[in-house]
Amino acid sequence: MPAELAHIRQIMDEADCLYTEAEVEAAIDRVAEKINGELAERNPVVFCVMNGGLIFAGKLVTKLGFPLELSYLHATRYRNETSGGELFWKAKPEISFIDRDVLIIDDILDEGHTLGAIIDFCRHAGAAAVHTAVLIDKEHQRKARPDLKADFVGLSCIDRYIFGYGMDYKGYWRNAAGIYAVKGL
Ligand SMILES: O=P(O)(O)OC[C@H]1O[C@H](OP(=O)(O)OP(=O)(O)O)[C@H](O)[C@@H]1O
Ligand SMILES: Nc1nc2[nH]cnc2c(=O)[nH]1
């Protein structure tokens, strides 16, 4: 086994489980119920933020009981590292959302640079309203805009580097069926 892959396996072996699969699934159910209550009549355009938003968005939208259009955008600032840098747009939204409600779905609200920039982008591009859903909100005092909260939040977590349910450790373990914190980070 390549040394790098052994390290990736060891990360899982030593990680702390913050939320089990059952706990995350229950949180996704709760978020879906809230969105069904608030957006069912708004005909939103839904954007998954790639890559991390993939699992949460995929699971969430199947629980939304109203017609919606689903697409993606790709903005990244961690680029498989464990600390963030400049936001880089890999793909801007292709579906027009001028004068429409938009729902942005992402995995994690950490410092908030990513979600803030996406919200700004959608507003400047003519969205009527921008709604945001994140699977998990990390609790600390380093938020880029302390007033920026996601409208729909599944879970919250302590200030550690986490992976699973779409979130990666060096590009791996987005597939982990639970949310884990890396030992020592
Ligand atoms: O709140 P912030 O500190 O801005 O961090 C949150 C963002 O970081 C992750 O994306 P990342 O840049 O790692 O790309 P990825 O989705 O491909 O993992 C995550 O998916 C969020 O989009
Ligand atoms: N995988 C992962 N991506 C992030 N992006 C911002 N914070 C995190 C984190 O804790 N884990």
Side-chain angles (χ1 to χ4, degrees), residues 104-180:
I104 303 295
I105 304 179
D106 205 355
D107 50 356
I108 182 166
L109 176 56
D110 188 338
E111 294 177 0
H113 295 283
T114 308
L115 200 62
I118 292 169
I119 293 169
D120 288 349
F121 175 86
C122 292
R123 287 192 180 136
H124 289 139
V130 184
H131 312 272
T132 51
V134 296
L135 178 58
I136 195 157
D137 184 7
K138 198 185 282 187
E139 291 177 347
H140 54 63
Q141 304 301 314
R142 301 186 309 283
K143 299 291 185 192
R145 306 178 194 176
D147 55 326
L148 190 156
K149 314 271 183 229
D151 300 302
F152 307 100
V153 179
L155 298 162
S156 63
C157 72
I158 53 172
D159 190 12
R160 293 184 62 186
Y161 194 81
I162 62 175
F163 64 90
Y165 264 88
M167 293 172 281
D168 72 304
Y169 175 78
K170 296 190 176 174
Y172 284 88
W173 288 128
R174 293 187 194 274
N175 54 309
I179 296 179
Y180 297 85

Side-chain angles (χ1 to χ4, degrees), residues 11-12 51 58 81 86 94 96 144 151 163 168 172-173 184:
I11 287 294
M12 174 58 102
N51 291 308
E81 300 298 331
E86 284 289 298
E94 283 198 332
S96 170
D151 300 302
F163 64 90
D168 72 304
Y172 284 88
W173 288 128

